[in-house]
PDB file of all heavy atoms in Angstrom:
ATOM      1  N   ALA R 153      26.009 -11.487   0.217  1.00 97.00           N
ATOM      2  CA  ALA R 153      27.289 -12.172   0.408  1.00 97.00           C
ATOM      3  C   ALA R 153      28.304 -11.176   0.954  1.00 97.00           C
ATOM      4  O   ALA R 153      28.439 -10.064   0.437  1.00 97.00           O
ATOM      5  CB  ALA R 153      27.780 -12.758  -0.911  1.00 97.00           C
ATOM      6  N   LEU R 154      29.008 -11.590   1.994  1.00 95.00           N
ATOM      7  CA  LEU R 154      29.982 -10.735   2.681  1.00 95.00           C
ATOM      8  C   LEU R 154      31.323 -11.447   2.763  1.00 95.00           C
ATOM      9  O   LEU R 154      31.377 -12.676   2.904  1.00 95.00           O
ATOM     10  CB  LEU R 154      29.495 -10.427   4.099  1.00 95.00           C
ATOM     11  CG  LEU R 154      28.129  -9.774   4.221  1.00 95.00           C
ATOM     12  CD1 LEU R 154      27.639  -9.848   5.642  1.00 95.00           C
ATOM     13  CD2 LEU R 154      28.204  -8.340   3.736  1.00 95.00           C
ATOM     14  N   PRO R 155      32.415 -10.684   2.742  1.00 94.00           N
ATOM     15  CA  PRO R 155      33.734 -11.320   2.887  1.00 94.00           C
ATOM     16  C   PRO R 155      33.912 -11.866   4.308  1.00 94.00           C
ATOM     17  O   PRO R 155      33.445 -11.279   5.278  1.00 94.00           O
ATOM     18  CB  PRO R 155      34.711 -10.181   2.611  1.00 94.00           C
ATOM     19  CG  PRO R 155      33.944  -8.926   2.817  1.00 94.00           C
ATOM     20  CD  PRO R 155      32.508  -9.227   2.568  1.00 94.00           C
ATOM     21  N   LEU R 156      34.595 -13.003   4.384  1.00 94.00           N
ATOM     22  CA  LEU R 156      34.796 -13.640   5.688  1.00 94.00           C
ATOM     23  C   LEU R 156      35.572 -12.746   6.655  1.00 94.00           C
ATOM     24  O   LEU R 156      35.315 -12.780   7.863  1.00 94.00           O
ATOM     25  CB  LEU R 156      35.515 -14.979   5.520  1.00 94.00           C
ATOM     26  CG  LEU R 156      34.699 -16.092   4.869  1.00 94.00           C
ATOM     27  CD1 LEU R 156      35.535 -17.363   4.763  1.00 94.00           C
ATOM     28  CD2 LEU R 156      33.411 -16.357   5.623  1.00 94.00           C
ATOM     29  N   ASP R 157      36.502 -11.950   6.131  1.00 92.00           N
ATOM     30  CA  ASP R 157      37.271 -11.107   7.057  1.00 92.00           C
ATOM     31  C   ASP R 157      36.381 -10.061   7.728  1.00 92.00           C
ATOM     32  O   ASP R 157      36.678  -9.627   8.835  1.00 92.00           O
ATOM     33  CB  ASP R 157      38.482 -10.464   6.366  1.00 92.00           C
ATOM     34  CG  ASP R 157      38.113  -9.443   5.315  1.00 92.00           C
ATOM     35  OD1 ASP R 157      37.251  -9.748   4.463  1.00 92.00           O
ATOM     36  OD2 ASP R 157      38.695  -8.341   5.338  1.00 92.00           O
ATOM     37  N   TRP R 158      35.279  -9.684   7.109  1.00 93.00           N
ATOM     38  CA  TRP R 158      34.333  -8.794   7.780  1.00 93.00           C
ATOM     39  C   TRP R 158      33.676  -9.511   8.947  1.00 93.00           C
ATOM     40  O   TRP R 158      33.471  -8.935  10.006  1.00 93.00           O
ATOM     41  CB  TRP R 158      33.251  -8.321   6.812  1.00 93.00           C
ATOM     42  CG  TRP R 158      33.620  -7.154   5.961  1.00 93.00           C
ATOM     43  CD1 TRP R 158      34.868  -6.715   5.650  1.00 93.00           C
ATOM     44  CD2 TRP R 158      32.715  -6.288   5.281  1.00 93.00           C
ATOM     45  NE1 TRP R 158      34.801  -5.636   4.814  1.00 93.00           N
ATOM     46  CE2 TRP R 158      33.488  -5.354   4.569  1.00 93.00           C
ATOM     47  CE3 TRP R 158      31.341  -6.226   5.196  1.00 93.00           C
ATOM     48  CZ2 TRP R 158      32.919  -4.350   3.799  1.00 93.00           C
ATOM     49  CZ3 TRP R 158      30.763  -5.226   4.419  1.00 93.00           C
ATOM     50  CH2 TRP R 158      31.545  -4.299   3.740  1.00 93.00           C
ATOM     51  N   LEU R 159      33.334 -10.789   8.759  1.00 93.00           N
ATOM     52  CA  LEU R 159      32.641 -11.531   9.801  1.00 93.00           C
ATOM     53  C   LEU R 159      33.509 -11.736  11.036  1.00 93.00           C
ATOM     54  O   LEU R 159      33.008 -11.727  12.151  1.00 93.00           O
ATOM     55  CB  LEU R 159      32.193 -12.899   9.274  1.00 93.00           C
ATOM     56  CG  LEU R 159      30.743 -12.944   8.807  1.00 93.00           C
ATOM     57  CD1 LEU R 159      30.517 -12.050   7.628  1.00 93.00           C
ATOM     58  CD2 LEU R 159      30.310 -14.330   8.581  1.00 93.00           C
ATOM     59  N   ASP R 160      34.793 -11.920  10.822  1.00 92.00           N
ATOM     60  CA  ASP R 160      35.703 -12.218  11.925  1.00 92.00           C
ATOM     61  C   ASP R 160      36.254 -10.980  12.633  1.00 92.00           C
ATOM     62  O   ASP R 160      36.887 -11.100  13.674  1.00 92.00           O
ATOM     63  CB  ASP R 160      36.875 -13.057  11.410  1.00 92.00           C
ATOM     64  CG  ASP R 160      36.410 -14.392  10.851  1.00 92.00           C
ATOM     65  OD1 ASP R 160      35.375 -14.909  11.330  1.00 92.00           O
ATOM     66  OD2 ASP R 160      37.061 -14.906   9.931  1.00 92.00           O
ATOM     67  N   ARG R 161      36.014  -9.822  12.076  1.00 92.00           N
ATOM     68  CA  ARG R 161      36.580  -8.589  12.629  1.00 92.00           C
ATOM     69  C   ARG R 161      35.946  -8.249  13.983  1.00 92.00           C
ATOM     70  O   ARG R 161      34.721  -8.192  14.101  1.00 92.00           O
ATOM     71  CB  ARG R 161      36.325  -7.447  11.631  1.00 92.00           C
ATOM     72  CG  ARG R 161      37.186  -6.235  11.876  1.00 92.00           C
ATOM     73  CD  ARG R 161      36.928  -5.159  10.854  1.00 92.00           C
ATOM     74  NE  ARG R 161      37.282  -5.605   9.506  1.00 92.00           N
ATOM     75  CZ  ARG R 161      37.032  -4.890   8.413  1.00 92.00           C
ATOM     76  NH1 ARG R 161      36.427  -3.734   8.489  1.00 92.00           N
ATOM     77  NH2 ARG R 161      37.391  -5.354   7.234  1.00 92.00           N
ATOM     78  N   PRO R 162      36.751  -8.008  15.008  1.00 94.00           N
ATOM     79  CA  PRO R 162      36.189  -7.591  16.303  1.00 94.00           C
ATOM     80  C   PRO R 162      35.486  -6.242  16.153  1.00 94.00           C
ATOM     81  O   PRO R 162      35.967  -5.344  15.462  1.00 94.00           O
ATOM     82  CB  PRO R 162      37.415  -7.457  17.206  1.00 94.00           C
ATOM     83  CG  PRO R 162      38.506  -8.209  16.524  1.00 94.00           C
ATOM     84  CD  PRO R 162      38.202  -8.153  15.057  1.00 94.00           C
ATOM     85  N   LEU R 163      34.351  -6.120  16.787  1.00 95.00           N
ATOM     86  CA  LEU R 163      33.593  -4.869  16.703  1.00 95.00           C
ATOM     87  C   LEU R 163      34.083  -3.880  17.758  1.00 95.00           C
ATOM     88  O   LEU R 163      34.406  -4.278  18.881  1.00 95.00           O
ATOM     89  CB  LEU R 163      32.098  -5.146  16.886  1.00 95.00           C
ATOM     90  CG  LEU R 163      31.471  -6.059  15.836  1.00 95.00           C
ATOM     91  CD1 LEU R 163      29.975  -6.210  16.089  1.00 95.00           C
ATOM     92  CD2 LEU R 163      31.733  -5.545  14.431  1.00 95.00           C
ATOM     93  N   PRO R 164      34.149  -2.601  17.401  1.00 93.00           N
ATOM     94  CA  PRO R 164      34.708  -1.606  18.321  1.00 93.00           C
ATOM     95  C   PRO R 164      33.912  -1.422  19.615  1.00 93.00           C
ATOM     96  O   PRO R 164      34.467  -1.021  20.623  1.00 93.00           O
ATOM     97  CB  PRO R 164      34.727  -0.313  17.500  1.00 93.00           C
ATOM     98  CG  PRO R 164      33.909  -0.555  16.302  1.00 93.00           C
ATOM     99  CD  PRO R 164      33.788  -2.028  16.117  1.00 93.00           C
ATOM    100  N   MET R 165      32.627  -1.729  19.603  1.00 93.00           N
ATOM    101  CA  MET R 165      31.806  -1.536  20.804  1.00 93.00           C
ATOM    102  C   MET R 165      31.488  -2.851  21.501  1.00 93.00           C
ATOM    103  O   MET R 165      30.553  -2.926  22.300  1.00 93.00           O
ATOM    104  CB  MET R 165      30.518  -0.802  20.433  1.00 93.00           C
ATOM    105  CG  MET R 165      30.783   0.615  19.936  1.00 93.00           C
ATOM    106  SD  MET R 165      29.300   1.475  19.453  1.00 93.00           S
ATOM    107  CE  MET R 165      29.174   0.969  17.735  1.00 93.00           C
ATOM    108  N   ALA R 166      32.268  -3.901  21.217  1.00 95.00           N
ATOM    109  CA  ALA R 166      31.996  -5.231  21.778  1.00 95.00           C
ATOM    110  C   ALA R 166      31.957  -5.190  23.298  1.00 95.00           C
ATOM    111  O   ALA R 166      32.816  -4.594  23.945  1.00 95.00           O
ATOM    112  CB  ALA R 166      33.061  -6.214  21.307  1.00 95.00           C
ATOM    113  N   ASN R 167      30.927  -5.816  23.847  1.00 96.00           N
ATOM    114  CA  ASN R 167      30.758  -5.928  25.286  1.00 96.00           C
ATOM    115  C   ASN R 167      29.881  -7.163  25.540  1.00 96.00           C
ATOM    116  O   ASN R 167      28.655  -7.057  25.521  1.00 96.00           O
ATOM    117  CB  ASN R 167      30.110  -4.660  25.842  1.00 96.00           C
ATOM    118  CG  ASN R 167      29.991  -4.682  27.350  1.00 96.00           C
ATOM    119  OD1 ASN R 167      29.774  -5.724  27.950  1.00 96.00           O
ATOM    120  ND2 ASN R 167      30.107  -3.523  27.954  1.00 96.00           N
TER     121      ASN R 167
END
Side-chain angles (χ1 to χ4, degrees):
L154 303 166
L156 290 180
D157 67 312
W158 277 21
L159 263 64
D160 298 331
R161 197 178 297 173
L163 299 182
M165 295 178 272
N167 184 325

